[in-house]
Amino acid sequence: MTVPSFTSAILDEYDRNPSQQERFEKIRTLVCPGSQEASARLAAETADLIRWRQESGEKVILGLATGSTPVPFYRELIRIHQEDGLSFHNVITFNLDEYYGLPRDHPESYYRFMHDQLFDHVDIPEDQIHIPDGTIPMEEVYDYCLGYEESIREAGGLDLQILGIGRTGHIGFNEPGSSADSITRMITLDRMTRQDAAADFMGVANVPRSAITMGVGTILEARRIVLMAWGSNKAEIVQEAVEGLMTDQISASFLQSHKNAVFLIDEAASTRLTRFRYPWLVGPVNWDAAMKRRAVVWLSKKLEKPILKLVDEDYNESGAGELLASTSEAAYEVNIDSFNRVQHTITGWPGGKPGADDTNRPERAIPFPKKVLIFSPEPADAFIGMGGTIERLKEQGHDVQIYFLTSGNLRVADVAALNFARVILEMAESLQAEGWENQVAYAQSILDALEEKGEFGVDPELVRKLKGLILRGETRDAASVCGLDADRISFLDLPFYEEGRYRRFQRSEKDTALIREVLADQCPDIIFATGDAGDPSSPQAICFAALAEAYQGLSDAEWQSGCNVWLHRGRDHAYEAQEIDMAVPMSPDQVDEKSNAIRKFLSTSDDTGEPERNREIAGEYDSLGLAEYEAIEAFQIWKG
Ligand code: GLP
């Protein structure tokens, strides 16, 4: 029996237009506007498959994945179960992997994750669920893994395998080096994989070093495979897996050899595919100014030649000859035009330069001063993405206000709360202070709560509150490095964050309402935000969705017609030169200041690579032939 095909308008379109994609893409890749829509489509198809098998009294064997990526898919399956009565009684599941050494009741075990996210909410019999056991003694692991393979075979093989993709290109936990015929086994986790799991485990040191995973060969035996990927941080690895060579360095690339594999991705994860990044290489394009600039920047980077030195032959020999032909301009004219466009993105006046001609500046000269609102999803985000720009806006006389949307308390290490409580206790003891009973009781309750929850348990509200306050102090310090006093910063503590944890947040109207209130009250001239292309389950993406909803809900407000929304890519994949609308240069001193601000976040172990990424953008501008700056903070205008 075959699995129903992924029938959809997109697929029809794909098949009608194969030359576009097939030229570079070696795996069928469907791009949906967002993760919700994509997940809903996959869930609907999975539900059809389950029902179809039910009609003939047969079982369905599903291979399931963990991570944030499949969460919206699982939520949708639960909804179909609850609202449309879909039963899971004929579903047998095999999960891809499990951390080694974690007991099942550990909050980060995949056993727990799958039960929280799916199994506890549907009617699947427990004995039809298979998840590798991370507590098997080392000497039994080999046989255990062979047994896992055998159970999949005995069940009839996987009908449908759901996958996410790690930034190392892994599927399951098949890290670089995994061969195409590898089977279920123990594997050592890559550094980047452990880094990506650090927030879940409250620090990279706590992330297990190994895992049990199905092999690439096990996965390739599935009759149908759907790999999902969301957000800009996945764009690069998706491109390599889909368009690159098949290699054991990127286990997802082995899906190229599978006849029935599909990548289902959102727009943010698709941006590195050739058809979107260099569309002129796959078909005719509309050579408007933006497209020309893209092509010219690409050519300059590819040939490692400054823009103004490109000649006609460079265009013709690199597949961009059509640009010159279509405009009947010589390379020289196209170069100058694009060079100027990139040049005009550079400004030391991110709030606009009062009294200056602003025809070619990213921001308007008036009004001056401007009411500038900066929305920072987690406290460090504003400083990571635009620490230098904040300082400039303040110095240049604008009315700057930062709204810290979430408390960020989940990032604060236990030791910070522990130290705080100990200081109180020691203080009380050394002063032999009377009247400190309440403080002592408070400190003791913090110590007790920390001990009770253990290293990885969920913080009770009392501890989260304290951690949030510790972070507030650090945030004030960071703001003051950027020249902002305490009255310039506000904390919204959005409820989705306070009530959730990483990968499991759920946004609600309460979050949007709080931001809407701020916007309606403040009537800003400029807004700075981030998270538009983030992993949809991240606090950054959730905050952005809430902000976008609040902003769009106020579209009738008069102030909005004169308001620009600038986006930065704090924690997400950095912009490339051709994508930047405003580039704010930084001097070496400003870079030091920015580092100082980020370093104030002592209680969290955030390492986003800033300001190194700012230096890289400056290097990119330099190699295009523009002025050489120490570093650049980059922004894009939000087009709503
Ligand atoms: C982990 C899992 C993978 C998953 C990957 C990506 O490594 N073992 O199965 O695909 O993370 O995670 P996320 O979906 O959270 O980006």
Side-chain angles (χ1 to χ4, degrees):
M1 190 176 293
T2 52
V3 179
S5 66
F6 204 85
T7 46
S8 70
I10 294 186
L11 199 62
D12 286 349
E13 188 185 308
Y14 179 96
D15 288 341
R16 251 186 290 138
N17 213 354
S19 60
Q20 286 254 336
Q21 284 84 1
E22 276 178 4
R23 178 118 172 252
F24 290 93
E25 293 170 24
K26 300 170 190 158
I27 302 177
R28 187 179 255 185
T29 303
L30 305 182
V31 182
C32 282
S35 58
Q36 285 303 337
E37 188 189 322
S39 306
R41 290 173 66 163
L42 181 58
E45 176 178 285
T46 309
D48 284 348
L49 172 63
I50 296 173
R51 284 199 198 95
W52 187 51
R53 288 283 172 88
Q54 274 166 10
E55 278 167 21
S56 47
E58 288 183 66
K59 302 258 191 245
V60 169
I61 323 299
L62 299 182
L64 298 180
T66 49
S68 337
T69 307
V71 169
F73 165 68
Y74 295 145
R75 285 190 187 146
E76 186 59 17
L77 282 181
I78 295 168
R79 190 198 63 74
I80 299 174
H81 167 72
Q82 289 170 346
E83 292 177 16
D84 306 340
L86 173 72
S87 172
F88 284 71
H89 72 260
N90 66 325
V91 177
I92 298 180
T93 64
F94 287 89
N95 262 82
L96 283 166
D97 45 15
E98 177 62 282
Y99 290 110
Y100 187 67
L102 290 198
R104 286 180 157 188
D105 60 358
H106 188 290
E108 290 308 326
S109 79
Y110 285 166
Y111 178 90
R112 179 88 179 265
F113 179 93
M114 286 308 300
H115 282 76
D116 286 354
Q117 297 298 326
L118 179 66
F119 299 144
D120 286 353
H121 311 280
V122 295
D123 62 343
I124 184 169
E126 182 69 29
D127 63 354
Q128 289 174 201
I129 296 171
H130 304 83
I131 302 173
D133 184 348
T135 63
I136 293 289
M138 193 62 94
E139 61 279 11
E140 290 169 30
V141 167
Y142 182 77
D143 287 339
Y144 175 82
C145 291
L146 290 182
Y148 201 72
E149 291 278 321
E150 187 53 32
S151 324
I152 299 176
R153 261 194 303 276
E154 268 172 20
L158 300 166
D159 289 307
L160 173 61
Q161 175 65 57
I162 304 296
L163 297 174
I165 182 168
R167 282 198 303 142
T168 58
H170 69 215
I171 46 180
F173 268 135
N174 289 285
E175 298 289 27
S178 302
S179 65
D181 56 4
S182 52
I183 60 169
T184 304
R185 68 206 187 286
M186 175 90 101
I187 187 124
T188 303
L189 298 178
D190 201 86
R191 210 177 135 260
M192 190 192 276
T193 301
R194 295 183 65 234
Q195 193 67 49
D196 285 349
D200 307 329
F201 283 88
M202 313 293 300
V204 73
N206 302 324
V207 181
R209 294 186 178 273
S210 49
I212 294 179
T213 181
M214 272 188 202
V216 178
T218 326
I219 294 169
L220 289 176
E221 297 226 328
R223 285 183 273 280
R224 175 165 186 71
I225 301 174
V226 180
L227 183 149
M228 296 182 278
W230 326 128
S232 63
N233 280 337
K234 298 284 172 75
E236 210 160 308
I237 197 67
V238 162
Q239 186 274 334
E240 287 177 44
V242 171
E243 298 187 350
L245 291 176
M246 213 153 53
T247 160
D248 67 4
Q249 293 307 297
I250 299 176
S251 62
S253 70
F254 286 125
L255 298 176
Q256 294 176 9
S257 68
H258 194 280
K259 283 199 302 288
N260 211 356
V262 177
F263 270 41
L264 187 58
I265 63 178
D266 68 357
E267 282 174 2
S270 77
T271 50
R272 289 289 177 119
L273 293 176
T274 306
R275 61 173 145 146
F276 301 113
R277 197 177 182 200
Y278 312 127
W280 54 90
L281 294 181
V282 299
V285 294
N286 171 20
W287 286 111
D288 60 13
M291 190 65 81
K292 278 193 213 166
R293 174 180 138 189
R294 256 168 175 258
V296 173
V297 169
W298 160 78
L299 193 58
S300 162
K301 283 203 277 192
K302 181 177 147 97
L303 302 179
E304 295 180 13
K305 239 181 171 186
I307 293 176
L308 295 175
K309 287 192 179 173
L310 295 171
V311 294
D312 287 13
E313 291 74 33
D314 293 329
Y315 283 82
N316 292 334
E317 286 161 18
S318 307
E322 199 205 299
L323 195 174
L324 300 184
S326 70
T327 59
S328 65
E329 286 172 328
Y332 180 71
E333 290 161 273
V334 174
N335 293 349
I336 291 270
D337 185 56
S338 295
F339 180 87
N340 285 341
R341 279 177 198 282
V342 182
Q343 171 84 26
H344 293 152
T345 63
I346 303 174
T347 181
W349 296 80
K353 188 170 185 181
D357 174 8
D358 60 7
T359 327
N360 288 318
R361 290 178 177 276
E363 245 318 327
R364 306 141 297 163
I366 49 170
F368 181 84
K370 290 191 176 69
K371 176 101 200 168
V372 180
L373 295 194
I374 298 167
F375 289 100
S376 184
E378 291 182 274
D381 290 341
F383 306 101
I384 291 168
M386 52 179 295
T389 303
I390 295 175
E391 218 183 327
R392 279 189 187 256
L393 288 164
K394 171 71 187 20
E395 265 172 23
Q396 291 167 2
H398 297 286
D399 176 0
V400 180
Q401 190 80 33
I402 311 186
Y403 284 87
F404 295 97
L405 296 174
T406 72
S407 70
N409 57 23
L410 292 169
R411 280 199 192 265
V412 177
D414 282 355
V415 69
L418 196 74
N419 283 340
F420 178 83
R422 282 186 187 144
V423 169
I424 296 182
L425 291 177
E426 279 177 28
M427 196 79 168
E429 203 184 307
S430 69
L431 294 177
Q432 300 199 329
E434 275 181 38
W436 272 56
E437 295 78 14
N438 288 344
Q439 287 87 331
V440 168
Y442 171 75
Q444 196 53 56
S445 63
I446 294 286
L447 293 183
D448 294 347
L450 287 171
E451 186 165 339
E452 196 180 319
K453 74 152 188 147
E455 212 174 345
F456 304 116
V458 177
D459 282 337
E461 209 185 316
L462 186 76
V463 175
R464 283 188 72 165
K465 184 86 196 146
L466 171 60
K467 287 183 170 180
L469 291 175
I470 292 171
L471 204 47
R472 274 193 188 192
E474 295 172 357
T475 308
R476 285 189 198 100
D477 285 350
S480 100
V481 172
C482 296
L484 296 182
D485 296 334
D487 63 333
R488 299 272 110 203
I489 63 180
S490 311
F491 299 91
L492 291 190
D493 289 353
L494 290 186
F496 86 84
Y497 189 93
E498 293 310 297
E499 291 159 11
R501 53 184 310 191
Y502 285 100
R503 295 175 202 265
R504 307 173 201 197
F505 298 118
Q506 298 232 41
R507 182 168 70 87
S508 78
E509 166 56 25
K510 286 187 285 182
D511 305 301
T512 309
L514 283 164
I515 302 180
R516 199 186 300 120
E517 229 172 84
V518 170
L519 291 174
D521 181 53
Q522 298 285 323
C523 307
D525 300 307
I526 306 189
I527 292 173
F528 285 92
T530 186
D532 62 304
D535 165 358
S537 70
S538 65
Q540 289 67 29
I542 295 173
C543 285
F544 185 79
L547 171 65
E549 192 173 81
Y551 188 83
Q552 281 155 348
L554 293 169
S555 58
D556 289 341
E558 210 178 302
W559 56 266
Q560 243 188 54
S561 57
C563 180
N564 278 339
V565 181
W566 289 102
L567 305 171
H568 65 81
R569 283 277 175 88
R571 290 179 198 268
D572 299 317
H573 205 275
Y575 293 123
E576 295 185 273
Q578 71 274 13
E579 300 172 316
I580 295 170
D581 293 322
M582 176 159 75
V584 182
M586 300 163 83
S587 67
D589 282 351
Q590 285 167 325
V591 172
D592 286 347
E593 287 289 272
K594 173 170 180 160
S595 301
N596 278 342
I598 296 173
R599 270 203 297 272
K600 296 294 175 190
F601 292 95
L602 291 169
S603 68
T604 63
S605 47
D606 257 352
D607 179 13
T608 59
E610 304 284 347
E612 219 26 69
R613 299 202 312 171
N614 305 126
R615 289 202 174 94
E616 281 165 21
I617 298 172
E620 223 182 301
Y621 267 54
D622 175 30
S623 60
L624 296 175
L626 292 131
E628 185 178 355
Y629 293 102
E630 175 69 12
I632 285 178
E633 287 180 339
F635 302 87
Q636 205 175 54
I637 194 104
W638 186 46
K639 300 196 180 75

